[in-house]
Amino acid sequence: MSDEEKRRWKGPGGDKKDSGRRTTERKVIARNARTESSKRWIERQLQDPYVRKSKEEGYRSRAAYKLLEIDEEAHILKRGQRVVDLGCAPGGWIQVALLKGASEVVGIDLLPVDPIEGATIFEGDVNEPADVDKLLGALSGPPDLVLSDMAANTTGHKQTDHLRTVTLVELAVDFAIAHLAPGGAFCSKVFQGGAAKDVLDKLKLNFRTVKHIKPPASRAGSPEIYVIAKGFKGGSK
Ligand SMILES: C[S@@+](CC[C@H](N)C(=O)[O-])C[C@H]1O[C@@H](n2cnc3c(N)ncnc32)[C@H](O)[C@@H]1O
């Protein structure tokens, strides 16, 4: 974090005193976890340096580092931007957008999110036009940046999970193309080697540059990767 970023930082970074107690609590939870998969998940969390770092630096999720790393390479976060964050819970990306100087940040998630000073957060569904209207209504103008880290709960049924993920990416792309300000940017989680061909074609038609980034904070074993599109041409093509 630069000095300027530290000065702007209003997040709960000061709760380091609590971290010893929380680590013990987490270890107890790990011991009591019922299923093998939840045990594996908790063990991985306990050993994950990004999880530890996020607690120390006051980020709500390790996902915050993915956006910071994406931005180091793609330079999508700018001061004074209006930012939309689709699938924002628990709020790590919102914290990063504010830290980088966004003037307005609105987020939406199916899950409730604790308030973040400087952001407007809605509990709702990106699939619901009324929820999308509320989200856009909270901004003073069209967004300069649309972020989507949306992920569906996995069912374990491969085809169903794949379909759900593809649908969320399409939803995010359509949202961005319908609402971004000209020159705006889009960043979305996609899976399995990148955006599907039809999605990629749509992005290439509507943005000046399109590329994929796998940030180091994204686990090597995870199929997730991010697509970044910059220079929105304006108007849906
Ligand atoms: C990986 S988490 C996002 C983490 C977030 N970027 C952060 O930094 O804290 C993905 C989120 O997408 C949300 N999501 C999935 N489908 C959604 C939908 N249709 N509308 C709104 N949120 C959705 C989930 O509820 C989940 O909280």
Coordinates of all heavy atoms in Angstrom, one line a residue, residues 60-67 85-96 108-111 113 122-128 131 147-153 164 168 171 189 224 226, ligand 1:
R60 N -11.8 -7.6 3.8 CA -12.9 -8.5 4.1 C -12.7 -9.9 3.5 O -13.4 -10.8 3.8 CB -14.2 -7.9 3.8 CG -14.6 -6.8 4.6 CD -16.0 -6.3 4.3 NE -16.4 -5.2 5.2 CZ -17.6 -4.8 5.3 NH1 -18.5 -5.3 4.5 NH2 -17.9 -3.8 6.1
S61 N -11.9 -9.9 2.4 CA -11.8 -11.2 1.7 C -10.4 -11.3 1.1 O -9.8 -10.2 0.8 CB -12.8 -11.4 0.6 OG -12.7 -10.3 -0.3
R62 N -9.9 -12.5 0.8 CA -8.6 -12.6 0.1 C -8.8 -12.2 -1.3 O -7.9 -11.9 -2.0 CB -8.1 -14.1 0.2 CG -8.9 -15.1 -0.5 CD -8.5 -16.5 -0.3 NE -7.1 -16.8 -0.7 CZ -6.7 -16.9 -2.0 NH1 -7.6 -16.6 -2.9 NH2 -5.5 -17.2 -2.3
A63 N -10.1 -12.2 -1.8 CA -10.4 -11.8 -3.2 C -9.9 -10.4 -3.4 O -9.6 -10.0 -4.6 CB -11.9 -11.8 -3.4
A64 N -9.8 -9.5 -2.4 CA -9.3 -8.2 -2.6 C -7.9 -8.2 -3.3 O -7.7 -7.3 -4.2 CB -9.1 -7.5 -1.2
Y65 N -7.1 -9.2 -3.0 CA -5.7 -9.2 -3.6 C -5.8 -9.5 -5.1 O -4.9 -9.1 -5.9 CB -4.8 -10.2 -2.8 CG -4.6 -9.7 -1.4 CD1 -5.4 -10.2 -0.4 CD2 -3.7 -8.6 -1.2 CE1 -5.2 -9.7 0.9 CE2 -3.6 -8.1 0.1 CZ -4.3 -8.6 1.1 OH -4.2 -8.1 2.4
K66 N -6.8 -10.3 -5.5 CA -7.0 -10.6 -6.9 C -7.2 -9.3 -7.7 O -6.6 -9.1 -8.7 CB -8.2 -11.5 -7.1 CG -8.0 -12.9 -6.5 CD -9.3 -13.7 -6.7 CE -9.3 -14.9 -5.8 NZ -10.6 -15.7 -6.0
L67 N -8.1 -8.4 -7.1 CA -8.3 -7.2 -7.8 C -7.1 -6.2 -7.8 O -6.8 -5.6 -8.8 CB -9.6 -6.5 -7.2 CG -10.0 -5.2 -7.9 CD1 -10.3 -5.4 -9.4 CD2 -11.2 -4.5 -7.3
D85 N -20.1 -3.0 -8.6 CA -19.5 -4.3 -8.2 C -20.6 -5.4 -8.1 O -21.4 -5.3 -7.2 CB -18.7 -4.2 -6.9 CG -18.0 -5.5 -6.6 OD1 -17.9 -6.4 -7.4 OD2 -17.4 -5.6 -5.4
L86 N -20.6 -6.3 -9.1 CA -21.7 -7.3 -9.2 C -21.2 -8.6 -8.4 O -20.2 -9.1 -8.7 CB -22.0 -7.7 -10.6 CG -22.3 -6.6 -11.6 CD1 -22.5 -7.1 -13.0 CD2 -23.6 -5.8 -11.1
G87 N -22.0 -9.0 -7.4 CA -21.6 -10.1 -6.6 C -20.5 -9.7 -5.6 O -19.4 -10.2 -5.7
C88 N -20.8 -8.7 -4.8 CA -19.8 -8.0 -4.0 C -19.5 -8.6 -2.7 O -18.5 -8.2 -2.0 CB -20.2 -6.5 -3.9 SG -21.7 -6.3 -2.9
A89 N -20.3 -9.5 -2.1 CA -20.1 -10.0 -0.8 C -18.8 -10.8 -0.6 O -18.4 -11.6 -1.5 CB -21.2 -10.9 -0.4
P90 N -18.0 -10.6 0.5 CA -18.3 -9.8 1.6 C -17.8 -8.3 1.5 O -18.0 -7.5 2.4 CB -17.6 -10.5 2.7 CG -16.4 -11.1 2.1 CD -16.9 -11.5 0.7
G91 N -17.2 -8.0 0.3 CA -16.9 -6.6 0.1 C -15.4 -6.2 -0.1 O -15.1 -5.0 -0.1
G92 N -14.6 -7.2 -0.3 CA -13.2 -6.9 -0.6 C -12.9 -6.0 -1.8 O -12.1 -5.1 -1.7
W93 N -13.6 -6.3 -2.9 CA -13.4 -5.5 -4.1 C -13.9 -4.1 -3.9 O -13.3 -3.1 -4.4 CB -14.1 -6.1 -5.3 CG -13.3 -7.3 -5.8 CD1 -12.4 -8.1 -5.2 CD2 -13.4 -7.8 -7.2 NE1 -11.9 -9.1 -6.0 CE2 -12.5 -8.9 -7.2 CE3 -14.1 -7.5 -8.3 CZ2 -12.3 -9.7 -8.4 CZ3 -13.9 -8.2 -9.5 CH2 -13.0 -9.3 -9.5
I94 N -15.0 -3.9 -3.1 CA -15.5 -2.6 -2.8 C -14.4 -1.8 -2.1 O -14.1 -0.6 -2.3 CB -16.8 -2.7 -2.1 CG1 -17.9 -3.2 -3.0 CG2 -17.2 -1.3 -1.4 CD1 -19.3 -3.2 -2.3
Q95 N -13.8 -2.5 -1.1 CA -12.8 -1.8 -0.3 C -11.6 -1.3 -1.2 O -11.1 -0.2 -1.1 CB -12.2 -2.7 0.8 CG -13.2 -3.1 1.9 CD -12.6 -4.1 2.9 OE1 -12.2 -5.2 2.5 NE2 -12.4 -3.7 4.1
V96 N -11.2 -2.2 -2.1 CA -10.1 -1.8 -3.0 C -10.5 -0.7 -3.9 O -9.7 0.3 -4.1 CB -9.7 -3.1 -3.9 CG1 -8.7 -2.7 -5.0 CG2 -9.1 -4.2 -3.0
I108 N -23.9 -5.1 -5.3 CA -25.1 -5.9 -5.1 C -24.6 -7.4 -4.9 O -23.7 -7.8 -5.5 CB -26.0 -5.8 -6.4 CG1 -27.3 -6.6 -6.2 CG2 -25.3 -6.2 -7.7 CD1 -28.4 -6.3 -7.2
D109 N -25.4 -8.0 -4.0 CA -25.1 -9.4 -3.8 C -26.4 -10.1 -3.3 O -27.3 -9.5 -2.7 CB -24.0 -9.7 -2.8 CG -23.4 -11.1 -3.0 OD1 -24.0 -12.1 -2.7 OD2 -22.2 -11.1 -3.5
L110 N -26.5 -11.4 -3.6 CA -27.6 -12.2 -3.1 C -27.6 -12.2 -1.5 O -28.6 -12.4 -0.9 CB -27.6 -13.6 -3.6 CG -27.6 -13.8 -5.1 CD1 -27.3 -15.3 -5.5 CD2 -29.0 -13.5 -5.6
L111 N -26.3 -12.1 -1.0 CA -26.1 -12.2 0.4 C -26.1 -10.8 1.0 O -25.7 -9.9 0.4 CB -24.8 -12.9 0.7 CG -24.6 -14.3 0.1 CD1 -23.1 -14.7 0.4 CD2 -25.5 -15.3 0.8
V113 N -24.6 -7.8 3.1 CA -23.2 -7.4 3.3 C -23.1 -6.3 4.3 O -24.0 -5.4 4.3 CB -22.6 -6.8 1.9 CG1 -21.2 -6.3 2.1 CG2 -22.7 -7.8 0.8
F122 N -26.5 -3.2 -2.1 CA -27.9 -3.7 -2.1 C -27.8 -5.2 -2.0 O -27.0 -5.9 -2.5 CB -28.6 -3.4 -3.4 CG -28.8 -1.9 -3.7 CD1 -27.9 -1.2 -4.4 CD2 -29.9 -1.3 -3.1 CE1 -28.0 0.2 -4.6 CE2 -30.1 0.1 -3.3 CZ -29.1 0.8 -4.0
E123 N -28.8 -5.7 -1.3 CA -29.0 -7.2 -1.2 C -30.0 -7.4 -2.4 O -31.2 -7.0 -2.3 CB -29.6 -7.6 0.1 CG -29.7 -9.1 0.3 CD -30.2 -9.5 1.7 OE1 -30.0 -8.7 2.7 OE2 -30.7 -10.6 1.8
G124 N -29.6 -8.2 -3.4 CA -30.5 -8.4 -4.5 C -29.8 -9.3 -5.5 O -28.7 -9.8 -5.3
D125 N -30.5 -9.5 -6.7 CA -30.1 -10.4 -7.7 C -29.9 -9.7 -9.0 O -30.8 -8.9 -9.5 CB -31.3 -11.4 -7.9 CG -30.9 -12.6 -8.8 OD1 -29.9 -12.5 -9.5 OD2 -31.6 -13.6 -8.7
V126 N -28.7 -9.9 -9.6 CA -28.4 -9.2 -10.8 C -29.3 -9.7 -12.0 O -29.5 -9.0 -13.0 CB -26.9 -9.5 -11.2 CG1 -26.5 -8.8 -12.5 CG2 -26.0 -9.0 -10.1
N127 N -30.0 -10.8 -11.8 CA -31.0 -11.3 -12.7 C -32.3 -10.5 -12.7 O -33.2 -10.7 -13.5 CB -31.4 -12.7 -12.4 CG -30.6 -13.7 -13.2 OD1 -30.5 -13.6 -14.4 ND2 -29.9 -14.6 -12.5
E128 N -32.5 -9.7 -11.6 CA -33.8 -9.1 -11.4 C -33.7 -7.6 -11.9 O -33.0 -6.8 -11.2 CB -34.1 -9.1 -9.9 CG -34.6 -10.4 -9.3 CD -35.9 -10.8 -10.0 OE1 -36.7 -10.0 -10.3 OE2 -36.1 -12.1 -10.1
D131 N -33.9 -4.9 -9.2 CA -32.7 -4.8 -8.4 C -31.6 -4.0 -9.2 O -30.9 -3.2 -8.6 CB -32.2 -6.1 -8.0 CG -33.1 -6.9 -7.0 OD1 -34.0 -6.2 -6.4 OD2 -33.0 -8.1 -6.8
L147 N -17.4 -4.3 -12.4 CA -16.6 -5.4 -11.9 C -17.6 -6.5 -11.6 O -18.7 -6.3 -11.2 CB -15.9 -5.1 -10.5 CG -15.0 -3.9 -10.5 CD1 -14.6 -3.6 -9.1 CD2 -13.7 -4.2 -11.3
S148 N -17.2 -7.8 -11.9 CA -18.0 -8.9 -11.5 C -17.2 -10.1 -11.1 O -16.3 -10.6 -11.8 CB -18.9 -9.4 -12.7 OG -19.5 -10.6 -12.3
D149 N -17.3 -10.4 -9.8 CA -16.6 -11.6 -9.3 C -17.7 -12.6 -9.0 O -17.5 -13.5 -8.1 CB -15.9 -11.2 -8.0 CG -14.8 -12.2 -7.6 OD1 -14.4 -13.0 -8.4 OD2 -14.3 -12.1 -6.4
M150 N -18.9 -12.5 -9.6 CA -20.0 -13.4 -9.3 C -19.6 -14.9 -9.5 O -18.9 -15.3 -10.5 CB -21.2 -13.1 -10.2 CG -22.0 -11.9 -9.7 SD -23.6 -11.8 -10.6 CE -23.1 -11.3 -12.2
A151 N -20.1 -15.7 -8.6 CA -19.9 -17.1 -8.7 C -21.1 -17.8 -8.1 O -21.6 -17.3 -7.1 CB -18.6 -17.5 -7.9
A152 N -21.6 -18.8 -8.8 CA -22.7 -19.6 -8.3 C -22.3 -20.6 -7.3 O -21.2 -21.1 -7.4 CB -23.5 -20.2 -9.5
N153 N -23.2 -21.0 -6.4 CA -22.9 -22.1 -5.5 C -22.8 -23.3 -6.3 O -23.7 -23.6 -7.2 CB -24.1 -22.3 -4.5 CG -24.0 -21.2 -3.4 OD1 -22.9 -20.7 -3.1 ND2 -25.1 -20.9 -2.8
R164 N -24.4 -22.6 -15.0 CA -24.7 -21.5 -14.1 C -23.6 -20.4 -14.2 O -23.9 -19.3 -14.1 CB -24.7 -22.0 -12.6 CG -25.9 -22.7 -12.3 CD -25.8 -23.1 -10.8 NE -27.1 -23.7 -10.3 CZ -27.3 -23.9 -9.1 NH1 -26.4 -23.6 -8.2 NH2 -28.4 -24.4 -8.6
L168 N -23.8 -16.5 -15.5 CA -23.4 -15.3 -14.7 C -22.5 -14.4 -15.5 O -22.6 -13.2 -15.5 CB -22.8 -15.7 -13.4 CG -23.7 -16.3 -12.4 CD1 -22.9 -16.7 -11.1 CD2 -24.8 -15.3 -12.0
L171 N -24.5 -12.5 -18.1 CA -25.2 -11.5 -17.4 C -24.4 -10.2 -17.1 O -24.8 -9.1 -17.3 CB -25.7 -12.1 -16.0 CG -26.9 -11.5 -15.3 CD1 -28.1 -11.7 -16.2 CD2 -27.1 -12.3 -14.0
K189 N -14.8 -12.3 -13.5 CA -14.4 -13.7 -13.3 C -15.0 -14.5 -14.4 O -16.2 -14.4 -14.7 CB -14.9 -14.2 -12.0 CG -14.3 -15.5 -11.6 CD -15.2 -16.2 -10.6 CE -15.3 -15.7 -9.2 NZ -14.2 -16.0 -8.3
E224 N -10.7 -20.6 -12.2 CA -11.1 -19.2 -12.5 C -9.9 -18.4 -13.1 O -8.8 -18.6 -12.9 CB -11.5 -18.5 -11.2 CG -10.4 -18.0 -10.4 CD -10.8 -17.2 -9.1 OE1 -12.0 -17.1 -8.8 OE2 -9.9 -16.8 -8.4
Y226 N -9.7 -14.1 -15.1 CA -10.5 -12.9 -15.2 C -10.3 -12.3 -16.6 O -9.2 -12.4 -17.2 CB -10.0 -11.9 -14.2 CG -10.4 -12.3 -12.8 CD1 -9.7 -13.2 -12.1 CD2 -11.7 -11.9 -12.3 CE1 -10.1 -13.7 -10.8 CE2 -12.1 -12.4 -11.0 CZ -11.3 -13.2 -10.3 OH -11.7 -13.7 -9.1
Ligands
LIG1 C1 -16.5 -14.8 -4.9 S1 -17.8 -14.0 -4.2 C2 -17.3 -12.3 -4.4 C3 -16.2 -11.8 -3.5 C4 -16.0 -10.3 -3.6 N1 -15.4 -10.0 -4.9 C5 -15.1 -9.8 -2.6 O1 -14.1 -9.2 -2.9 O2 -15.4 -9.9 -1.4 C6 -19.1 -14.2 -5.3 C7 -20.5 -13.6 -4.9 O3 -21.3 -13.6 -6.1 C8 -22.6 -13.6 -5.6 N2 -23.6 -13.9 -6.6 C9 -23.8 -15.0 -7.3 N3 -24.9 -14.9 -8.2 C10 -25.4 -13.6 -8.0 C11 -26.5 -12.9 -8.5 N4 -27.3 -13.5 -9.5 N5 -26.7 -11.7 -8.1 C12 -26.0 -11.1 -7.1 N6 -24.9 -11.7 -6.6 C13 -24.6 -13.0 -7.0 C14 -22.6 -14.7 -4.5 O4 -23.7 -14.5 -3.6 C15 -21.2 -14.4 -3.9 O5 -21.3 -13.7 -2.7

